[in-house]
């Protein structure tokens, strides 16, 4: 079964420090995409970063990087130099190949990150 | 470029009533998706449109839910009659093609539905 597991319901980090949010996935597909989304208290879902299963390099987007370890089926999000505005819920999601395309996203339960000053 | 918009932002209805949620995708995005998150659970896929056609509706919970996308632009999701377990946040997302791994889905702010 295809599944995303986020084992950290909540995380705390000091402002300006780095934090790693864990994500493991389960799929038998060889081809899939991995995504991270941020949901601040306002409720909208903001796309952060994407990693393809065939990408050899870890994805990076500004202060966000994805630590992709394919053999371990993990796709951890690393946020460097945390800011107060990073306080939010973070969702890891996978897009498996289905019916000729990459359609539905499968989400983890989310990790709530709190950044302290 | 305007993002995905959803209306209403909140809806409170009584059990047995009907509610219609609306989603306007990003202009030019052929793919439109509905997801929902009920309290304490993961965000779950409901269905996927490509233009006006339903590509995948495997996540629709039952026949009380009806989604339409006439003309391939905005979409509506009707719940009739609403039950208590339908309470949650309903998200809409859109993407350009849906054929590549990197085709990112962009989400709207969600509609929070409360059924009393």
């Amino acid at each position: 079964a295809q599944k995303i597991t986020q084992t950290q319901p909540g995380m705390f980090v000091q402002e300006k420090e780095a934090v790693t949010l864990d994500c493991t996935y389960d799929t038998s597909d060889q081809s899939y995409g991995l995504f991270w989304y941020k949901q601040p208290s306002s409720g909208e879902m903001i796309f952060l970063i994407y990693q393809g299963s065939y990408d050899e390099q870890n994805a990076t987007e500004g202060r966000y990087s994805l630590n992709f370890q394919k053999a371990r089926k993990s796709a951890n999000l690393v946020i460097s130099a945390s800011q107060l505005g990073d306080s939010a819920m973070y969702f890891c999601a996978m897009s498996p190949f289905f019916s000729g395309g990459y359609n539905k996203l499968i989400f983890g339960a989310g990790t709530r990150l709190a950044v302290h000053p | 470029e305007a993002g995905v918009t959803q209306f209403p932002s909140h809806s409170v209805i009584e059990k047995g009533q009907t509610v219609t949620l609306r989603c306007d995708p990003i202009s030019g995005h052929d793919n439109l998706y509905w997801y929902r998150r009920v309290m304490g659970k993961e965000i779950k896929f409901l269905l996927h449109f490509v233009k006006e056609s339903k590509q995948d509706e495997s996540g629709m919970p039952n026949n009380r839910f009806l989604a339409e996308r006439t003309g391939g632009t905005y979409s509506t999701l009707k719940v009739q009659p609403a039950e208590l377990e339908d309470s949650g946040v309903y998200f809409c997302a859109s993407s350009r093609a849906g054929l590549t791994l990197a085709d990112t889905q962009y989400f709207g702010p969600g509609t929070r539905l409360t059924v009393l």
Side-chain angles (χ1 to χ4, degrees):
Chain A
Q2 291 161 334
K3 188 179 179 181
I4 294 283
T5 301
Q6 294 180 254
T7 57
Q8 307 154 315
M11 289 281 286
F12 295 91
V13 66
Q14 206 73 25
E15 194 178 8
K16 299 179 186 176
E17 292 185 348
V19 62
T20 298
L21 307 184
D22 294 341
C23 172
T24 58
Y25 59 92
D26 188 12
T27 182
S28 56
D29 293 341
Q30 295 301 309
S31 181
Y32 49 88
L34 295 158
F35 301 80
W36 277 91
Y37 288 85
K38 171 185 177 181
Q39 186 184 39
S41 56
S42 52
E44 75 271 30
M45 295 275 283
I46 302 167
F47 165 71
L48 294 179
I49 195 166
Y50 155 80
Q51 178 87 40
S53 58
Y54 295 118
D55 295 340
E56 294 185 354
Q57 302 250 359
N58 286 342
T60 60
E61 289 285 350
R63 294 185 299 110
Y64 304 108
S65 61
L66 200 152
N67 184 1
F68 180 47
Q69 297 188 42
K70 193 170 182 178
R72 299 177 63 179
K73 293 190 175 178
S74 74
N76 298 340
L77 177 71
V78 180
I79 305 174
S80 62
S82 297
Q83 301 173 355
L84 296 179
D86 293 335
S87 294
M89 192 75 152
Y90 288 80
F91 291 99
C92 179
M94 175 172 64
S95 176
F97 190 82
F98 177 78
S99 297
Y102 299 93
N103 303 321
K104 58 187 169 187
L105 291 174
I106 298 168
F107 282 89
T111 296
R112 184 167 298 282
L113 176 67
V115 181
H116 292 171
Chain B
E1 179 182 81
V4 177
T5 58
Q6 293 186 245
F7 183 82
S9 57
H10 293 84
S11 180
V12 181
I13 61 172
E14 302 222 337
K15 176 183 171 180
Q17 289 186 321
T18 297
V19 63
T20 300
L21 315 180
R22 173 171 169 145
C23 168
D24 287 77
I26 294 172
S27 178
H29 281 194
D30 286 342
N31 291 265
L32 188 148
Y33 311 81
W34 284 98
Y35 294 84
R36 78 171 176 179
R37 187 182 189 203
V38 296
M39 185 68 72
K41 300 283 184 66
E42 288 91 350
I43 300 168
K44 293 285 192 187
F45 167 83
L46 295 178
L47 88 158
H48 168 215
F49 283 100
V50 178
K51 296 185 180 178
E52 67 273 9
S53 300
K54 291 177 186 174
Q55 176 80 2
D56 179 3
E57 50 184 329
S58 62
M60 294 287 263
N62 52 60
N63 59 10
R64 295 186 293 104
F65 289 75
L66 175 64
E68 295 179 324
R69 192 182 182 196
T70 307
T73 54
Y74 71 91
S75 173
T76 57
L77 180 65
K78 181 192 287 188
V79 185
Q80 179 183 27
E83 298 289 344
L84 299 178
E85 64 264 25
D86 301 332
S87 296
V89 181
Y90 289 76
F91 290 102
C92 175
S94 72
S95 70
R96 195 170 293 280
L99 296 177
T100 68
L101 275 172
D103 197 53
T104 297
Q105 295 181 27
Y106 295 93
F107 281 73
T111 293
R112 182 173 295 278
L113 174 64
T114 302
V115 183
L116 301 176

